[in-house]
Amino acid sequence: MVYETRYIKAEDREAALAEPIQIRDGNSTTTAQGLTATSDISTLKVNLRRIPVLGRGSIVDGLTRALEPYGDIHVMGIYLDKETQVFKGEGMVILDIGRSRASLTRQIPVPQWNKNISALWKGAGF
């Protein structure tokens, strides 16, 4: 889950970045500085499908290696069923495509898994 917060005072923002934030359900989450309109990056949200059911580490490692040519990963997430919390085989990344070494394609090979995953993004076409 992503929580987005905007702080008016710089000292409040700095305090939030320094300590984990407590959430109502008793969990805590770490925080990160958001991107601003003047950030020197070009981001693209990419939805991913056909991700195999594997352990968290295998999914993160496989996606990180497979997406490396397309840009720096800023955010990576997987989707869970709301009721059962079971992994749905889908996820998303936010990529900084400003320094990519390859053009993003609709089918991304993941050699570790010996398969391709599907990638969709705004403007990808069909």
Side-chain angles (χ1 to χ4, degrees), residues 3 21-29:
Y3 295 93
I21 294 176
Q22 298 299 315
I23 303 171
R24 268 187 269 165
D25 64 5
N27 291 319
S28 64
T29 184

Side-chain angles (χ1 to χ4, degrees), residues 5 10 15 22 25 27 37 64 73 118:
T5 307
Q22 298 299 315
D25 64 5
N27 291 319
T64 300
I73 298 172
S118 298

Side-chain angles (χ1 to χ4, degrees), residues 1-83:
M1 180 154 311
V2 175
Y3 295 93
E4 186 172 329
T5 307
R6 183 173 181 190
Y7 294 95
I8 303 301
K9 296 179 183 175
E11 58 267 15
D12 292 339
R13 181 183 63 245
E14 296 304 319
L17 291 169
E19 301 266 338
I21 294 176
Q22 298 299 315
I23 303 171
R24 268 187 269 165
D25 64 5
N27 291 319
S28 64
T29 184
T30 56
T31 58
Q33 180 75 40
L35 302 174
T36 67
T38 59
S39 295
D40 188 26
I41 61 173
S42 177
T43 60
L44 179 67
K45 179 182 178 187
V46 181
N47 293 301
L48 305 171
R49 295 190 177 144
R50 297 180 40 213
I51 300 171
V53 177
L54 298 168
R56 181 181 186 275
S58 296
I59 291 173
V60 170
D61 189 50
L63 291 178
T64 300
R65 290 180 188 210
L67 294 168
E68 183 181 36
Y70 307 108
D72 295 332
I73 298 172
H74 286 282
V75 176
M76 179 186 297
I78 60 170
Y79 299 128
L80 305 177
D81 181 88
K82 185 177 181 178
E83 300 285 324

Side-chain angles (χ1 to χ4, degrees), residues 93-110:
V93 292
I94 296 179
L95 291 174
D96 174 1
I97 57 172
R99 291 179 281 162
S100 65
R101 298 188 314 276
S103 295
L104 194 58
T105 62
R106 298 277 311 272
Q107 294 294 312
I108 298 174
V110 185

